[in-house]
Amino acid sequence: MATPSEGIPAATVVVGMELFGVTAWVQKVCERLAAAGYAAIAPDFYWRQARRADLGYDDAGRKEGFRLLGHLTREGVAADTTAALAAGTELGAGPARAFAGFSLGGHLGVLAATCLPLDAVISCYGGWTVDGGIPLAEPEPPLTPSGAAALAEHNTMLLGLVGGRDFLISADEWQRLGRRLRQAGVRHELIDYPEAEHGFLCEDRPGTYDANASDDAWKRMLEALAQLPHRG
């Protein structure tokens, strides 16, 4: 959890972790959002199985991450997101509610928005939202037509960011995602960076980090958060 050094947080931003848990990089994301004026809270979504998992960016870390991911439930994701939003309220944050997630966290944000009234979701290379592929996306992924309709009902704005060389999200799936959002009337913007790979925002993973794409993505994220509505 991170908050601005001065003043009242403008809104609460739930930060959705990567497969590797609440790593040092996820904590840096929270600090960067706090510096921009928000209460940033990264739930440990794995806590029911392993407290404060901080996995390595290697095969062993990935294997353990998928094991823990296999235990996540939709009810648990909604409950943890709700708790994070409540913590932001306790910190005095403004009433707007957003979710910024990365990879697995991008999926969690979209999933949460289908059952909670979030003002905005920023899904950075969040996979499995349309075609599924993980236990959490069974028996159906979050963005079925009914899931997209739920986002529209909540008036959630979705900002999607992806790399053109992402191994997890194909260009075809990205296009179908856009069509589904348009058909449901979801306010959205989908941005792709042709030369970027999956995980391009994480500077702690130099093999896939893309400084130019990351800089532009952060600019767009902060612009989206700046447009959060003010609720009475």
Side-chain angles (χ1 to χ4, degrees), residues 21-74:
V22 183
T23 60
W25 180 75
V26 172
Q27 295 177 46
K28 287 189 287 187
V29 169
C30 290
E31 292 166 0
R32 186 165 182 173
L33 290 169
Y38 303 98
I41 301 171
D44 175 9
F45 287 99
Y46 293 153
W47 71 270
R48 294 170 181 83
Q49 296 295 320
R51 294 298 181 105
R52 301 198 176 193
D54 182 355
L55 309 177
Y57 299 122
D58 54 16
D59 289 341
R62 189 169 289 105
K63 180 179 179 181
E64 176 64 3
F66 274 110
R67 185 189 75 80
L68 294 171
L69 166 58
H71 290 281
L72 295 184
T73 66
R74 297 185 179 209

Side-chain angles (χ1 to χ4, degrees), residues 5-222:
S5 58
E6 297 181 2
I8 297 172
T12 300
V13 182
V14 181
V15 177
M17 65 193 195
E18 297 177 298
L19 180 70
F20 307 97
V22 183
T23 60
W25 180 75
V26 172
Q27 295 177 46
K28 287 189 287 187
V29 169
C30 290
E31 292 166 0
R32 186 165 182 173
L33 290 169
Y38 303 98
I41 301 171
D44 175 9
F45 287 99
Y46 293 153
W47 71 270
R48 294 170 181 83
Q49 296 295 320
R51 294 298 181 105
R52 301 198 176 193
D54 182 355
L55 309 177
Y57 299 122
D58 54 16
D59 289 341
R62 189 169 289 105
K63 180 179 179 181
E64 176 64 3
F66 274 110
R67 185 189 75 80
L68 294 171
L69 166 58
H71 290 281
L72 295 184
T73 66
R74 297 185 179 209
E75 295 77 14
V77 171
D80 294 346
T81 302
T82 298
L85 294 169
T89 299
E90 291 175 2
L91 291 168
R97 298 142 47 109
F99 195 120
F102 304 85
S103 190
L104 168 61
H107 178 96
L108 299 179
V110 172
L111 175 59
T114 63
C115 54
L116 299 173
L118 298 174
D119 296 299
V121 170
I122 300 170
S123 180
C124 302
Y125 34 86
W128 313 298
T129 59
V130 176
D131 292 337
I134 55 174
L136 191 59
E138 299 296 337
E140 57 186 24
L143 282 180
T144 59
S146 61
L151 265 68
E153 182 179 352
H154 294 152
N155 197 28
T156 303
M157 187 278 177
L158 191 149
L159 171 62
L161 304 168
V162 74
R165 297 182 177 181
D166 196 305
F167 70 88
L168 186 62
I169 306 166
S170 68
D172 175 69
E173 183 178 5
W174 193 243
Q175 292 171 0
R176 286 185 286 116
L177 167 64
R179 287 198 298 271
R180 182 153 295 173
L181 295 173
R182 286 193 297 274
Q183 290 167 356
V186 178
R187 295 183 298 120
H188 69 280
E189 183 177 13
L190 301 181
I191 306 296
D192 66 274
Y193 300 93
E195 301 304 314
E197 299 181 44
H198 188 80
F200 68 83
L201 276 153
C202 182
E203 61 269 27
D204 291 356
R205 302 167 67 182
T208 55
Y209 176 61
D210 186 315
N212 291 332
S214 178
D215 287 347
D216 185 78
W218 267 105
K219 177 183 176 182
R220 293 177 184 274
M221 285 191 280
L222 293 177

